[in-house]
Amino acid sequence: MFCSKEYELLYTLRMYFWSLLCTGVHRELEEDTMLELQNISYLVDDDNKEILRIVGTLEKNSTHPIAKVFVEYVDLKDKVEVEDFENIAGYGVSGKLNGEKIILGNGKIVEKFGIENNHFEDEKQLMKEGNSIIYVSKEGSIIALIGVNDIIRKEAKSVISNLREKSIKTIMLTGDNEETAKKIADNIGSSKIKTGAVNATDPDDVTRAAEGVDAVIDMVMPWMVPYVMEGALKAKANYINTAFDDPFWDKFVEGIAIDDMPFAKEFKEAGLTALFGCGFAPGWTNVLARRFADRLDRVDSIKMRIGKAVHLPGEHEFDWVLRPWNPGWSPKQALVDCASPTYALEDGKYIKYPPFGGLEMWDFPEPVGTLPVTHHSHEEIYSMPATFDGVKEVDFKYYMMY
């Protein structure tokens, strides 16, 4: 609650991570076709159109955004019932068509179901072209590999053009699939986009990759921040991240000032800037809080409550139970955050809470509604007390993911 001498304003940060991300992904697919069915390796003599019809029919039942690519690509005039359909989170989908067991998914799903895979070279070739790979299996045998490719956003070229006009050099680095980055760079067609792989846990490799740049934008796992910062410092580059973790959280709890944080002295002496938490949350949350706080005489408390809509438009009552869980960022990091003890600032002091502590029911606007929320490990708990003078209460509660 932001308090002033003349009035009190209760402002709840109502952020719909899941709803916004899901809506955004589907909207992009509908308006911009952000994904494209690029390459298909047929491995059997079956009718190729029939294989695609099988894939489209099964994917029609999937909740994954990529499924829409197949459904739109394939003409599904004849309605075929899918039996025993299952969304397998992190792997793919399975079901029965005309009594035959069909499995679609990444390479892990082949291993999960014990299907013999002699097509690693085919997969490797498709990946070289920047594709994400979908295996198609019928009755325990792989019948096709499908490559799905990222499509450049319509505005990408104009953005790069603006960067050219401002004499800004751009470097795009990828840590997972360099081939995808190369293809995107080729499509944009700018000599100012460079690609490469970098080991974010090796400061020397970060330094190598960052040689000659003005700023390193760190979007990897929060625990990697110290490694990337050290590499940026060695490369004499400014540093920006979207999230951060220990050792910085512990330092905030200990009451260490920002100027005394790890790397603060070194960056200052080098004439460099390091900006922390410049994403959506943290980042947008901090800016929004500051926007309202600046209108008040003082700030006593900042309460953050985050929820999502369990039921999405057009879904049946219990469809959410079958929807694969995806927080919108690293699932591993999200689970770590949920399972970790955390803090809340109460009466100017940090109070430690166990995982899922401080349970309360919170009324969000529709379509989210009333949800249980609990204390959650997040950056704002630490950064806001250090940047909002006089604040005595800060907590961050997240909906219980179920």
Side-chain angles (χ1 to χ4, degrees):
M1 182 165 61
F2 304 115
C3 297
S4 127
K5 293 177 182 177
E6 300 176 351
Y7 61 89
E8 292 186 351
L9 170 66
L10 177 62
Y11 189 86
T12 304
L13 302 183
R14 290 165 173 156
M15 295 167 290
Y16 312 98
F17 291 126
W18 177 265
S19 300
L20 287 173
L21 286 169
C22 276
T23 302
V25 169
H26 285 294
R27 185 180 299 118
E28 289 168 354
L29 287 172
E30 290 167 6
E31 297 177 358
D32 297 327
T33 314
M34 299 301 294
L35 296 170
E36 179 181 80
L37 190 58
Q38 187 75 15
N39 294 293
I40 304 174
S41 293
Y42 298 104
L43 306 174
V44 295
D45 293 330
D46 290 12
D47 183 347
N48 294 346
K49 289 185 178 179
E50 175 63 14
I51 292 178
L52 283 177
R53 188 189 68 82
I54 289 172
V55 173
T57 301
L58 200 64
E59 288 285 18
K60 191 174 182 179
N61 294 268
S62 174
T63 57
H64 198 288
I66 203 172
K68 191 174 180 67
V69 179
F70 294 100
V71 175
E72 292 182 347
Y73 188 85
V74 182
D75 184 11
L76 297 174
K77 293 181 180 178
D78 300 325
K79 185 176 180 181
V80 180
E81 292 296 328
V82 178
E83 299 177 344
D84 301 331
F85 179 82
E86 183 180 4
N87 268 307
I88 308 169
Y91 294 88
V93 298
S94 69
K96 283 187 177 181
L97 292 175
N98 299 321
E100 295 180 313
K101 179 77 170 183
I102 307 297
I103 296 171
L104 309 176
N106 54 36
K108 294 188 296 181
I109 202 169
V110 174
E111 182 179 349
K112 178 180 177 65
F113 282 89
I115 299 171
E116 184 178 359
N117 185 6
N118 298 318
H119 306 288
F120 294 109
E121 287 302 317
D122 296 304
E123 178 179 353
K124 186 176 180 181
Q125 184 59 41
L126 287 173
M127 290 184 68
K128 279 184 178 180
E129 298 168 6
N131 292 291
S132 296
I133 311 302
I134 306 295
Y135 276 88
V136 184
S137 168
K138 182 170 71 172
E139 288 294 290
S141 296
I142 298 170
I143 61 173
L145 268 70
I146 299 176
V148 180
N149 221 309
D150 297 293
I151 303 302
I152 304 302
R153 287 178 179 270
K154 293 178 180 178
E155 64 270 20
K157 291 188 178 182
S158 63
V159 170
I160 297 300
S161 178
N162 290 336
L163 293 178
R164 285 197 190 103
E165 294 174 2
K166 296 179 180 179
S167 300
I168 297 175
K169 296 180 180 179
T170 61
I171 291 183
M172 180 167 58
L173 303 175
T174 176
D176 50 6
N177 189 341
E178 187 175 352
E179 295 299 329
T180 298
K182 286 180 179 177
K183 183 163 185 176
I184 292 173
D186 290 342
N187 286 340
I188 291 177
S190 170
S191 61
K192 293 189 176 183
I193 294 184
K194 299 179 182 179
T195 64
V198 60
N199 181 356
T201 63
D202 182 351
D204 291 333
D205 199 36
V206 174
T207 300
R208 172 196 60 77
E211 183 178 357
V213 307
D214 294 311
V216 171
I217 301 177
D218 177 358
M219 300 184 70
V220 296
M221 299 289 279
W223 61 267
M224 298 179 184
V225 164
Y227 303 106
V228 182
M229 283 195 76
E230 182 180 342
L233 182 62
K234 289 181 179 179
K236 301 188 185 318
N238 297 292
Y239 172 84
I240 304 170
N241 70 36
T242 58
F244 57 96
D245 206 323
D246 291 334
F248 305 97
W249 289 8
D250 289 340
K251 297 297 183 183
F252 277 118
V253 172
E254 294 169 10
I256 303 299
I258 291 177
D259 288 341
D260 296 322
M261 286 286 170
F263 294 105
K265 181 180 179 181
E266 291 84 350
F267 267 77
K268 187 174 182 179
E269 290 178 348
L272 299 170
T273 298
L275 297 177
F276 274 41
C278 298
F280 185 80
W284 179 83
T285 47
N286 302 69
V287 172
L288 184 59
R290 173 55 64 189
R291 175 179 174 81
F292 283 87
D294 284 347
R295 301 178 182 182
L296 305 172
D297 297 318
R298 74 175 189 274
V299 180
D300 288 341
S301 67
I302 304 174
K303 308 282 187 182
M304 288 158 279
R305 302 292 183 268
I306 291 80
K308 79 171 182 73
V310 175
H311 300 288
L312 298 180
E315 286 191 330
H316 295 295
E317 184 178 1
F318 296 106
D319 282 356
W320 64 272
V321 178
L322 301 176
R323 189 188 312 127
W325 176 74
N326 185 343
W329 62 97
S330 165
K332 179 179 179 180
Q333 185 64 43
L335 290 173
V336 168
D337 291 344
C338 288
S340 299
T342 188
Y343 289 88
L345 191 73
E346 298 178 2
D347 196 24
K349 297 179 181 179
Y350 277 109
I351 305 299
K352 192 172 185 177
Y353 282 91
F356 302 106
L359 175 66
E360 65 176 320
M361 301 302 294
W362 194 264
D363 294 327
F364 293 95
E366 293 298 335
V368 178
T370 303
L371 290 176
V373 295
T374 62
H375 286 297
H376 187 76
S377 180
H378 225 257
E379 286 86 344
E380 293 90 336
I381 303 165
Y382 310 98
S383 63
M384 286 185 175
T387 53
F388 287 80
D389 290 339
V391 66
K392 294 185 177 358
E393 310 278 340
V394 177
D395 65 21
F396 187 104
K397 289 189 176 183
Y398 203 78
Y399 71 95
M400 295 184 70
M401 297 183 240
Y402 52 86

